[in-house]
Every structure is written in C-alpha cells, then in structure tokens.
Amino acid sequence: MENSNNTEVYKYSAIIPTLYKSKRIFKLVEDLLNSEHVGEVILIDNTESLEPRIDSHPKLKYICEGKNTGVNPAWNKGVRLAENDLLIIANDDVNFDTSILKMLTPDVVQEAGVIGMDRYNWDGYKGRKFKYKGEPYLEVWKSGGIKSGWACLMMLNKSMWIDIPEDLIIYFGDNWIKDINPVKKSILCGFRCETEMSSTSDLDEFNAIKRQDAINWVPHYLRKKEGRTKLI
C-alpha cells in the first residue's frame, strides 16, 4: 500500500456510537479530533443522558439520543449526517494510531472498497499479542476469511454505504456490510489496534436483542443466497 504524493489534506468523518462502557472512548475521540485527516467526529450518545460527557470541540458533532437506539441504527444515522465522503466507523472500545489515515488516501479507499481489520490486528484481545512486522498492507477480503473484529474499525467512501435494515439493532450489521453490500471489501493487515472487544454488546442486558437480531438476519441472508439482487 503506497502513500499518495497528493499533498491535499483530505478529511474523514468519524462515526462512533457509545454507551460509555469502555474508558477507551476518551482517548479515541481525542486522537481523532487531533488528526489533520479527520474533519469531524460524530459521537452518538445512546445513553439516557441528554448532557454531553465530552467537552465541546469545533470538530465534534455530539448527538444525545436520550435512549439506546442500537449500534446499527447509529451507524446509519452517522453516515447520513457525515459531511465528508471518507468515513471512519469505530467501536467505542478501540484505540488505534490515526497516522494510518495518511496511507488511506481517497484513491486507496476507492480501490480497496470497505476496509475492515484483520483479526490479528487486535493486540490484547483474549490474550492475543500482535506479531506482525513491517508496514501495514491491504488484502482483498474473501468470504469466510475473517472470524472476529473486521467491523470494529472500518474506513470507506460514503458512496459505498447501504443502510443496515432497521430490524438489525446490535448484531449482524457487519454481516450486512460484508455479505449483502455488493461493493468490494478489503482487510487492513499488520496494523496494531487495542481493544477488549465487545465491551458493550457482550453485556447480558442485550441478550434478548441479539437473539431477535439473529432471527431477523435469516431472511436477509436467504434473499442473498437465493440470488435476489434487490437490497432491502
């Protein structure tokens, strides 16, 4: 993956839904706000509070929902609100080196499609230690080739997004992106990220929603398997 010689400072819109279950969110937001390649951070607060928990900033667009709308609807909303064509979609329990955005130029993203993370990027998750050496690189995503963590951090062009169906609230949003959305997908490999993974979604209070998501996912998957091309 080569860096572009284009000196234009392109801008990303970063979208982060949160319930503030992870302390990593504060560093995540700070790092994104400090990046020259981030034009805005759209923070969607799904708690019941209507008071922002992070200080105002010219690049911060803080959305207080007053209730938990779910991560997938928050992604859809964030994409609609985004002012820039380039998007970052990040879980709130992720920390990463934002200098990677210097390599992910508009041309690179256009060629790569939706960029997700290699499962081995996640240092510290379930005792896993980062083992890559050398520079980050992109590979074409192949169905079945990633088992966890792909959608915890994504970069893409806004034109590549197709709204996740409203009946998928917490789970299967990444399946919709990978398996239903017809655009090209890639994996960013050799890029160290830190997370405890699923800090919010693994909580017992969301089990009923996740079970319903699993039921609701089946007809979407079957439509794809049966070759019905119309997206719903």
Side-chain angles (χ1 to χ4, degrees), residues 47-61:
T47 69
E48 294 180 357
S49 173
L50 295 177
E51 295 294 330
R53 302 191 190 189
I54 293 179
D55 292 339
S56 62
H57 186 283
K59 291 165 64 173
L60 180 61
K61 185 179 291 182

Side-chain angles (χ1 to χ4, degrees), residues 178-195:
K178 291 186 297 181
D179 301 326
I180 305 297
N181 190 332
V183 302
K184 184 178 179 180
K185 295 92 181 178
S186 295
I187 300 173
L188 180 60
C189 304
F191 177 58
R192 180 174 177 170
C193 307
E194 295 181 352
T195 188

Side-chain angles (χ1 to χ4, degrees), residues 112 114 116-119 138-148 150 178-179 183-189:
V114 183
M117 297 296 110
D118 180 28
R119 63 181 301 199
L138 286 166
E139 286 187 351
V140 175
W141 177 78
K142 298 178 181 178
S143 180
I146 190 76
K147 296 182 178 179
S148 65
W150 185 87
K178 291 186 297 181
D179 301 326
V183 302
K184 184 178 179 180
K185 295 92 181 178
S186 295
I187 300 173
L188 180 60
C189 304

